[in-house]
Amino acid sequence: MLQQHIVWLTSLALMAFVASGFVFVVLNSGMREDDYAPLVKHAYRLRTRLFWGLVMVFGPAMIYTLADLPYDVSRAENEAGPVQIVEAVGYQWRWELSHDHVAKDRPVEFRVTSADVNHGFGIYNADMRLIAQTQAMPGYTNIIRHTFRDEGTYKILCLEYCGLAHHNMVAEIQVGDL
Ligand code: CUA
């Protein structure tokens, strides 16, 4: 929630910045051409400063976000125990899972596809928080790997509107000791 709030405030600030740029242009649009020379020089200086400002903001941000690589997909392979495989097929309007029980603390590989149209394969925990998701596409198998850390009932919901009974595309998967 806090993150969303920060992102929202940042977007607001940026939007205000862009809007003030427009206002600045409108207010100064009455000038003659030779009035522009100092303005152009000023703009170039501003551009250079803005460029380095962006480098200084996005450079560290990029390093910070990329430091997490490789993501869970490849990390899961190094965990104890063999990978558990669940084949998941989306239909209008239901999910077909090859297994609906998996063990916790061992990586699960979901091989997700669709028999008809595009669906979204979203795994939710008991608090209905989305913990992993991929697309279910006809003629293509998407793979996601996830290691469940908590026992309980997880839900699989369709994340892409796929017709009248889209909301009925709910399946459950039990995580526990096998
Ligand atoms: Cu399948 Cu929405």
Side-chain angles (χ1 to χ4, degrees), residues 29-50:
S29 55
M31 291 163 134
R32 281 178 303 125
E33 204 160 315
D34 46 335
D35 290 338
Y36 278 102
L39 196 65
V40 165
K41 225 164 93 186
H42 182 68
Y44 278 146
R45 228 177 316 147
L46 199 67
R47 190 173 67 176
T48 308
R49 244 181 274 160
L50 194 65

Side-chain angles (χ1 to χ4, degrees), residues 3 13-14 44 101 145:
Q3 255 177 347
L14 288 176
Y44 278 146
H101 280 70
R145 283 192 172 172

Side-chain angles (χ1 to χ4, degrees), residues 93 119 158 160-162 166 169:
W93 291 278
H119 302 277
C158 184
E160 185 166 327
Y161 183 71
C162 54
H166 153 76
M169 288 190 66

Side-chain angles (χ1 to χ4, degrees), residues 6-31:
I6 292 170
V7 169
W8 170 236
L9 287 181
T10 310
S11 332
L12 267 187
L14 288 176
M15 280 189 274
F17 180 69
V18 172
S20 66
F22 279 107
V23 171
F24 180 80
V25 169
V26 169
L27 290 181
N28 290 283
S29 55
M31 291 163 134

